Amino acid sequence: MLRFLLMRIASAVPVLGILSLVTFAIIQAPPGDYADYIKSQLINQGGASYAEADAQARAYRVEHGLDKPLPIQYLNWIGGIVTRGDFGYSLYYNKPVADVVGERLPRTLLLALVCHLLASVLGITFGIWAATRQYSWIDSTLSAISFLGMTVPRFLMALIIVYLLVFQFNVSEIGSFFSPQYGGAPWSWAKFVDLFKHVWPVVAIATFGGLAYNMRVMRGNLLDTLNAQYVETAKAKGLTGGAVVLRHAVPNALHPLIMYQGVVLPYMLTGEIETAIIFALPTVGPAIVGSMAVGDVYVTATFMMVLSATLIVGNIIADLLLVLLDPRVRQFGEH
């Protein structure tokens, strides 16, 4: 198992390097940079002339290395990460990129993990429930819910909820995790309830899509498994329907969902990102959009690298879970 894990990690390193190069090149592809953003701000809001603003923009490029060729900028950025753990300096936030990531990433990951747990538990449970009651009204209702969860865009659901909260229920505290009185207060039950009031739309929307996928896949796989010969043999031996389903059918039907764990964390992260942008929560989503809008390349590149790393880590975890769940995979790996 340890050898398998080390091999997967070793193979992931060059993949992450290639992704960093491609990501950096794509982010730098559009014309303009943060110096151009400064120039536009000086002209539009500072009243500076074009010549004055252009001179300050050129000086800013030289000071921060934005005038260097793209390969040199990339090597400086990736070299700082490898040698010093330095992800660069955020020009927009005026602080190290590591500080920007450290402020926003833990909240984002926590929200994504909560959504993942809810989507997995509810989706698998509903999938088993639907499969064991095929063609009933329960199956039809859950299938309709699954269809909606997989087809309705998450940003559209977020916009609808924002409209209802603001214009129908007069909710004014949108765009933060806590009410003002709980911002710096120590943790308590009241603060937790206040947090839930602020984040439940993001959790509900991000969970809905994952729940729908889990339920759909679990239902289809379990229906195929229930028709397998070994399940019929187990029934013939006198096992009850519940024992056959839980002990024999469900573990085998879970295999595709285990493999899905390799992409579920990035999927939940993107779900959180979409809805967090609509709700303007201080998480990864708004930071990516804001940094891309002004050309803060190091923030954007670092966050995209984090998303790539979660995909790689998720696939490694999925492989390990599959090895633990299915002895046949373990025996194949040993040979």
Side-chain angles (χ1 to χ4, degrees), residues 233-297:
T233 302
K235 292 179 180 178
K237 291 182 177 181
L239 291 178
T240 62
V244 171
V245 171
L246 296 177
R247 291 174 55 186
H248 297 279
V250 169
N252 288 286
L254 281 174
H255 285 191
L257 288 177
I258 295 296
M259 294 306 300
Y260 171 61
Q261 306 311 303
V263 297
V264 69
L265 186 54
Y267 176 82
M268 288 299 174
L269 281 172
T270 55
E272 186 279 333
I273 287 171
E274 290 178 24
T275 52
I277 291 171
I278 303 298
F279 285 90
L281 287 177
T283 55
V284 166
I288 292 177
V289 174
S291 61
M292 291 182 67
V294 300
D296 195 358
V297 61

Side-chain angles (χ1 to χ4, degrees), residues 9 58 89 109 148 193 222 227 257 260 292 307 314 331:
I9 293 175
R58 287 199 304 269
Y89 194 82
L109 288 175
L148 290 175
V193 172
L222 188 55
N227 295 322
L257 288 177
Y260 171 61
M292 291 182 67
L307 293 179
Q331 292 173 1

Side-chain angles (χ1 to χ4, degrees), residues 183-197:
W187 278 103
S188 63
W189 177 250
K191 184 173 182 177
F192 176 79
V193 172
D194 185 71
L195 173 64
F196 178 78
K197 290 179 180 178

Side-chain angles (χ1 to χ4, degrees), residues 34-47:
Y34 191 72
D36 290 313
Y37 170 76
I38 291 178
K39 181 168 66 175
S40 66
Q41 292 295 101
L42 290 173
I43 295 174
N44 298 328
Q45 298 183 11

Side-chain angles (χ1 to χ4, degrees), residues 160-176 178-179 194 196-201 279:
I160 293 173
I161 292 179
V162 167
Y163 172 80
L164 293 175
L165 290 176
V166 174
F167 295 102
Q168 300 300 320
F169 297 100
N170 298 319
V171 176
S172 58
E173 294 179 354
I174 291 181
S176 62
F178 300 102
S179 301
D194 185 71
F196 178 78
K197 290 179 180 178
H198 285 77
V199 303
W200 73 261
F279 285 90

